[in-house]
Amino acid sequence: MVIGLVAGLEPEEEVTDVVCDESDLKDGDMMEVEVGDHNVLLVRCDGVYSAISNQCTHYGAPLSKGVLSGHRVRCPWHGSCFNVKTGDLEEYPGIDCLPCHKACAASLMCAETLRQENYGGRIIMVSRDDLLPYDKTRLSKIMNAESDSLLMRRMEFFHKYDIEVWLKKEALSIDTNKKTVAFDDGLIQGYDQILIATGCRAKNLDCPGVDLENVLMLETPEDARCIHYACMGCRTVVVGTSFVGMEVAAYMIDMASSITIIGSSELPYQKTLGPEIGKVTMMMLEERGVTFYMNDAVAEVQGENRRVKAVKLRSGITIQADLLIVGIGVNPNSEFLKGSPVRMDSKNYVIVDKYMRTNITDVYCAGDLTSFPLKMAKGQNVSIGHWQVAQAHGRIAALSMLHREVELNIVPFYWTVLLGRTIRYAGCGEGYTKMVLKGKFENMKFLALYLKDEEVVAAAGLNVEPAVSVVAERLAQGRVITQAEAESDDLSWLKLQPM
């Protein structure tokens, strides 16, 4: 029995070979074609033509605009990869093979992989949420979405593949000697192997007044809808200038009467995308009337009749407010592991190896909760709370449970959407020492290459598709991008025209 603690793809359709004149495509080329009612990607590899769906199974991006490398194509939007011969999914955040058209995270991916690999035993997925696994990346982008529209899989899927799902049930402790988990309803459940994928939760402010009624955080679809309706015509203050805070603020621009953002750093995204891109995003929102107070923090939330009326900053400034939204980071959901022998780091993230194994036999961990070795960062342990990473973790954990050890080898790929503009990021730029810029920030068309030890370790881009996917593919192949190559005026390797 396998238990998955959480915060089989459809059977593959046959891929049809296509006969064409040799002059149509050269080896390594691909093109978009229409076959009846279907939009198809036609590819030539090793003299053989193959046809797969042209739409990525994540958000429907045209794969013909992506990057073809050997026998796989990488999506230009979010980095999903597919085998052009078979349609098989080879990299997330897509979840289905082509030409299926569905979109998931760690625990769900683990359960599906177990069934894909013909595991016939009992599988239980347990979540304290009252919803089936859903696409959390959309919460800060489409905040009035109904919960049902966000689901990755419906209950019929779990029934079909004999995966038990227990909702509204929280793990309180684990006994790794007896191989049991104790839940909040008194149940004690045994396991043969267990995947811990309880993720993280939003961190709240540590100051007076945080318990007022209209102090909100974004964790669930219900939270998103509450923020959507609460901000209408209100003076809204957002604390936090990373992905959640900035996306929520941008979303509310045409609804709130005023928006003020408070950040602890000098510029938004300073630790992730860097100060240069942070300055651009700050200007984008300022042009739409958003006010920023940077290098500051909330000292007190002042209220009246249990509702926010003002936010006082450590600098002494007081901002009148009707609504306060907090997006200042996360804490790992690992309290139930305290007292167990499962090893954690100083921040209480669970330490795993490259096979998603903890230090305890038959105990695995995946997703945001982990501290894991990232191969492209020379095996340095990192904690990365992104969708595509969690999905990859789930698959690797499932294979490890089946004693089919496959080493984790991913290039993190994520994106943020502000005012209809999507900034894409690939790699791991932590500790970068130099940035090489292609294009101009002020033109809203640029590619930033982040370097460390004279090698490119990450890239971020706006309106330069598929350049970020090109970099991701190079990094995935282990092919070094040198500083000289990054600084060259020749952009052909990035599939870009001179900027």
Side-chain angles (χ1 to χ4, degrees):
M1 177 191 297
V2 176
I3 293 181
L5 302 179
V6 300
L9 306 178
E10 297 290 344
E12 178 184 323
E13 296 182 25
E14 182 179 356
V15 178
T16 306
D17 286 335
V18 179
V19 179
C20 296
D21 292 334
E22 289 186 2
S23 60
D24 290 345
L25 288 177
K26 297 178 181 179
D27 265 351
D29 285 349
M30 59 182 178
M31 64 183 293
E32 176 184 359
V33 297
E34 297 295 329
V35 180
D37 295 331
H38 299 286
N39 186 241
V40 173
L41 181 69
L42 183 63
V43 184
R44 178 173 172 171
C45 286
D46 302 326
V48 177
Y49 292 90
S50 297
I52 56 177
S53 171
N54 190 42
Q55 290 182 298
C56 177
T57 60
H58 181 222
Y59 283 168
L63 295 176
S64 57
K65 303 295 185 183
V67 180
L68 180 64
S69 177
H71 289 169
R72 79 175 188 174
V73 60
R74 182 180 288 270
C75 172
W77 289 2
H78 306 124
S80 300
C81 293
F82 303 90
N83 187 296
V84 297
K85 295 280 189 179
T86 65
D88 287 346
L89 175 71
E90 295 188 352
E91 183 60 273
Y92 306 97
I95 193 168
D96 279 324
C97 301
L98 292 169
C100 300
H101 298 275
K102 296 179 183 175
C104 235
S107 184
L108 177 56
M109 195 64 242
C110 179
E112 293 196 13
T113 301
L114 287 170
R115 286 292 185 244
Q116 275 185 307
E117 299 295 327
N118 300 315
Y119 173 73
R122 188 181 182 191
I123 300 176
I124 305 172
M125 284 179 55
V126 188
S127 174
R128 70 179 182 184
D129 288 343
D130 58 359
L131 286 175
L132 294 170
Y134 56 89
D135 186 349
K136 291 192 175 184
T137 66
R138 295 174 63 192
L139 293 185
S140 54
K141 300 173 178 70
I142 310 173
M143 301 189 70
N144 61 341
E146 291 300 320
S147 300
D148 193 60
S149 70
L150 302 174
L151 296 182
M152 296 293 93
R153 302 294 194 196
R154 301 190 181 280
M155 189 57 79
E156 293 79 9
F157 175 89
F158 297 101
H159 289 159
K160 180 178 179 179
Y161 294 101
D162 195 22
I163 300 170
E164 296 179 47
V165 181
W166 297 352
L167 300 177
K168 295 190 286 188
K169 191 184 294 284
E170 184 174 359
L172 298 181
S173 64
I174 180 172
D175 188 325
T176 58
N177 291 321
K178 295 180 179 179
K179 287 193 168 183
T180 59
V181 180
F183 293 97
D184 57 350
D185 60 359
L187 175 68
I188 297 178
Q189 176 65 53
Y191 66 85
D192 296 310
Q193 295 175 305
I194 187 168
L195 175 71
I196 299 168
T198 49
C200 298
R201 64 187 180 279
K203 184 188 298 184
N204 205 349
L205 295 169
D206 182 18
C207 67
V210 296
D211 58 342
L212 293 173
E213 289 178 7
N214 48 340
V215 177
L216 304 178
M217 295 186 291
L218 179 60
E219 293 188 289
T220 68
E222 183 178 358
D223 293 337
R225 290 191 294 271
C226 284
I227 292 171
H228 172 86
Y229 293 110
C231 76
M232 299 287 188
C234 288
R235 298 168 298 178
T236 302
V237 174
V238 178
V239 186
T241 54
S242 194
F243 295 96
V244 171
M246 291 290 283
E247 286 190 350
V248 169
Y251 177 87
M252 297 186 298
I253 279 178
D254 292 327
M255 296 184 289
S257 62
S258 67
I259 298 173
T260 303
I261 300 178
I262 301 164
S264 59
S265 56
E266 183 178 353
L267 291 162
Y269 302 112
Q270 189 153 325
K271 293 182 179 179
T272 49
L273 302 179
E276 296 90 349
I277 293 180
K279 185 177 181 180
V280 172
T281 60
M282 189 171 174
M283 289 173 57
M284 286 169 58
L285 269 61
E286 284 179 329
E287 288 174 358
R288 297 294 301 274
V290 176
T291 301
F292 284 83
Y293 289 94
M294 303 301 293
N295 288 322
D296 216 332
V298 177
E300 180 185 3
V301 184
Q302 299 173 343
E304 187 175 273
N305 299 322
R306 297 293 304 153
R307 296 186 64 81
V308 172
K309 70 171 185 179
V311 177
K312 185 177 181 180
L313 306 184
R314 288 180 183 171
S315 61
I317 296 170
T318 298
I319 305 164
Q320 299 302 307
D322 307 304
L323 176 67
L324 177 63
I325 301 167
V326 181
I328 58 172
V330 295
N331 288 317
N333 290 320
S334 57
E335 288 82 359
F336 75 102
L337 295 173
K338 290 181 179 178
S340 81
V342 176
R343 191 158 61 100
M344 295 184 279
D345 66 12
S346 59
K347 296 181 180 179
N348 293 320
Y349 288 85
V350 176
I351 299 171
V352 297
D353 65 11
K354 58 188 177 183
Y355 304 109
M356 310 317 296
R357 302 177 301 201
T358 70
N359 61 309
I360 303 299
T361 301
D362 293 328
V363 178
Y364 302 80
C365 190
D368 297 4
L369 183 63
T370 61
S371 171
F372 68 95
L374 183 62
K375 186 174 182 178
M376 66 154 290
K378 300 183 172 134
Q380 174 187 345
N381 265 50
V382 297
S383 294
I384 298 176
H386 295 299
W387 194 247
Q388 164 244 16
V389 173
Q391 291 173 297
H393 285 180
R395 177 177 178 272
I396 297 299
L399 295 174
S400 296
M401 289 177 171
L402 297 170
H403 308 293
R404 302 175 192 171
E405 293 182 344
V406 175
E407 181 179 347
L408 179 70
N409 182 19
I410 59 168
V411 175
F413 197 115
Y414 54 93
W415 61 97
T416 187
V417 180
L418 297 175
L419 304 177
R421 296 186 173 102
T422 300
I423 299 174
R424 312 182 201 283
Y425 180 98
C428 183
E430 183 177 351
Y432 76 93
T433 54
K434 182 180 177 67
M435 175 192 284
V436 174
L437 178 67
K438 307 294 184 183
K440 294 182 179 180
F441 290 122
E442 58 268 28
N443 292 345
M444 294 297 164
K445 183 175 183 178
F446 61 82
L447 177 71
L449 298 170
Y450 303 84
L451 289 93
K452 185 177 181 180
D453 299 328
E454 299 185 345
E455 295 179 7
V456 172
V457 293
L462 173 63
N463 292 323
V464 288
E465 292 76 18
V468 176
S469 286
V470 171
V471 174
E473 191 60 26
R474 283 280 297 268
L475 295 175
Q477 295 171 356
R479 295 167 55 200
V480 171
I481 305 172
T482 64
Q483 181 170 330
E485 191 172 9
E487 292 177 339
S488 170
D489 292 333
D490 180 8
L491 303 182
S492 61
W493 68 278
L494 290 164
K495 296 192 174 184
L496 293 177
Q497 299 298 320
M499 290 191 293

